[in-house]
Amino acid sequence: MAASIPDPTAAIRAFRGEILDFTGDPATLGDRAHRHHPDGILVVRDGRVAALGPASEVLPSLPADAVMTDYRGKLILPGFVDTHVHYAQTDIIASYGAQLLDWLDRYTFPAESRFADPEHAREVAEFFVDELLRNGTTTAMVFATTHATSVDAIFEAAEARSMRLIAGKVLMDRNVPEQVRDTADSGYEDSARLIARWHNRHRLAYAVTPRFAPTSTERQLELCGRLLDLNPGVFLQSHVAENLSEVAWVAALFPWSRSYLDVYDRYRLLRERAVFAHCIHLDHEDRQRMAATGAAMSFCPTSNLFLGSGLFDAQAARDHGVRVGIGTDVGGGTSLSMLRTLDEAYKVCQLAGNRLSPWRAFYLATLGGAASLYLDDRIGNFDPGKEADFVVLDPAATPLMARRVARTETLAEKLFALMILGDDRAVHATHVLGEARYRQTAA
Ligand SMILES: [Zn+2]
């Protein structure tokens, strides 16, 4: 039982350390929203959570052949959920000096056109999913490119690591260069084929992926609704109301629309399992429609600051009861680290005049993100039966973090220091279905 190296063939594995997870939203439940075991044990059987509790209670009941991994001194949390990211933009992260529409023309479309080459797609996909794991992210909702093979590449990379991942082929049939353009019909047919190939295969799920309203004709948006109707359980991902020039462009392209969001509403794309990145320039009615339809917002703070797009109103989303998750939005976003992203989320909330507590921040990065994707029955916390995806964080990963954390008195203070000062260096290990898929090696 005391073996230090986990045996992958062991039926039962146990992980000991400080354990934190959430059972609900701290914004409404307060202290009752989280479970905290300063010296806890997470028991995993066949990749699923079998038990969670204080070491003093769990240890006596552990079977003799259980294999124990000792993470004492570290903090075990459910794996992070990144609800909006573009794997094909890995290579253009940190590109200088553009706002959204110029950014797409100057950097995004040239980078994405390279994914017509399956070999390039495969190489980037492998790198990208390993980066997710290196940052403690175990589930992501991912944009591929217009090319069907780019979808195969990202799903194959996720499947090889047993990861839960949602992705889809980008649909763009107008206002983009030919290399990244499809047609309403070819986009529909490619999507249908990819759904048949990948949706619900192992832990993978498909998302119908119109990039955003300006690059799809009304016919293409209509066909998106049809794909969703014909394939219950399939997701939808897109962007909305990120940038004011974009909002003005949508108003010109769809003169009948009440608002940008209304364009998607017209084509019945607001629904459960639909995730819209950004949601900055929305009004009261838009937020009401999102809440009423069960669609979710992905809050992408590093991207919104980097591209100068605006400030997400987390309070308004909460007041309207809209589902919200956190997105890194790389490459418009500047980091795949959810810790870095929570840091920026806190600052965006400060500028917007409201406050993001460390409890709510870590909730949004785990169970809240899972709930925004309607996956909270499978991932997001350590309820028995859930898939055992988790991240092991080192709150003393750097000299400064060690010094700051040594002076904290409460878990809230420690979590806050972790999200403000932490990054990939604070990720000690990442486990998928109980198995270590990333371990930090000593520097
Ligand atoms: Zn995006």
Side-chain angles (χ1 to χ4, degrees), residues 84 86 239 278 329:
H84 181 73
H86 302 253
H239 300 89
H278 310 304
D329 194 28

Side-chain angles (χ1 to χ4, degrees), residues 64-88:
D65 62 345
V67 176
M68 174 75 81
T69 302
D70 193 344
Y71 283 135
R72 275 179 288 182
K74 307 288 189 291
L75 185 62
I76 301 173
L77 280 165
F80 295 135
V81 179
D82 184 344
T83 62
H84 181 73
V85 63
H86 302 253
Y87 96 85

Side-chain angles (χ1 to χ4, degrees), residues 9 33 42 166 176 215 221 224 269 326:
T9 63
L42 177 69
I166 304 163
V176 292
T215 49
L221 294 172
C224 289
L269 304 184
I326 303 281

Side-chain angles (χ1 to χ4, degrees), residues 27 43 45 65 71 76 85 101 193 238 274 284 287 333 387 390 392 413 418 431:
V43 183
R45 182 188 295 127
D65 62 345
Y71 283 135
I76 301 173
V85 63
L101 302 178
R193 261 194 300 273
S238 194
H284 170 69
R287 292 187 180 92
E387 297 161 355
F390 57 93
V392 184
E413 289 176 335
L418 194 51
H431 288 248

Side-chain angles (χ1 to χ4, degrees), residues 124-276:
V124 177
E126 293 279 324
F127 177 84
F128 172 83
V129 291
D130 282 339
E131 274 297 294
L132 289 183
L133 293 169
R134 217 172 59 73
N135 282 286
T137 298
T138 50
T139 289
M141 189 169 198
V142 184
F143 270 58
T145 69
T146 331
H147 316 93
T149 49
S150 74
V151 179
D152 293 331
I154 189 67
F155 277 138
E156 281 163 10
E159 188 175 44
R161 292 155 182 83
S162 304
M163 287 174 72
R164 183 167 279 290
L165 189 127
I166 304 163
K169 176 202 124 62
V170 172
L171 299 164
M172 297 194 281
D173 67 344
R174 65 164 165 174
N175 295 327
V176 292
E178 197 186 337
Q179 302 91 307
V180 290
R181 200 188 316 143
D182 57 13
T183 68
D185 289 335
S186 75
Y188 178 85
E189 284 155 20
D190 281 348
S191 300
R193 261 194 300 273
L194 288 163
I195 289 168
R197 189 179 307 156
W198 292 107
H199 185 61
N200 283 342
R201 173 160 148 179
H202 302 290
R203 304 183 77 199
L204 309 173
Y206 193 83
V208 173
T209 308
R211 167 165 244 117
F212 66 155
T215 49
S216 285
T217 58
E218 299 201 28
R219 162 96 178 137
Q220 184 160 63
L221 294 172
E222 190 184 325
L223 289 175
C224 289
R226 188 183 301 174
L227 281 166
L228 295 171
D229 290 342
L230 292 175
N231 299 280
V234 161
F235 290 76
L236 176 121
Q237 58 181 344
S238 194
H239 300 89
V240 72
E242 175 177 4
N243 168 291
L244 289 173
S245 304
E246 171 209 18
V247 173
W249 193 18
V250 171
L253 288 170
F254 303 89
W256 48 262
S257 61
R258 190 201 70 81
S259 70
Y260 187 163
L261 190 81
D262 186 43
V263 174
Y264 298 129
D265 204 1
R266 161 80 70 105
Y267 293 103
R268 300 175 301 102
L269 304 184
L270 303 187
R271 51 174 86 200
E272 295 183 0
R273 293 183 186 77
V275 178
F276 293 90

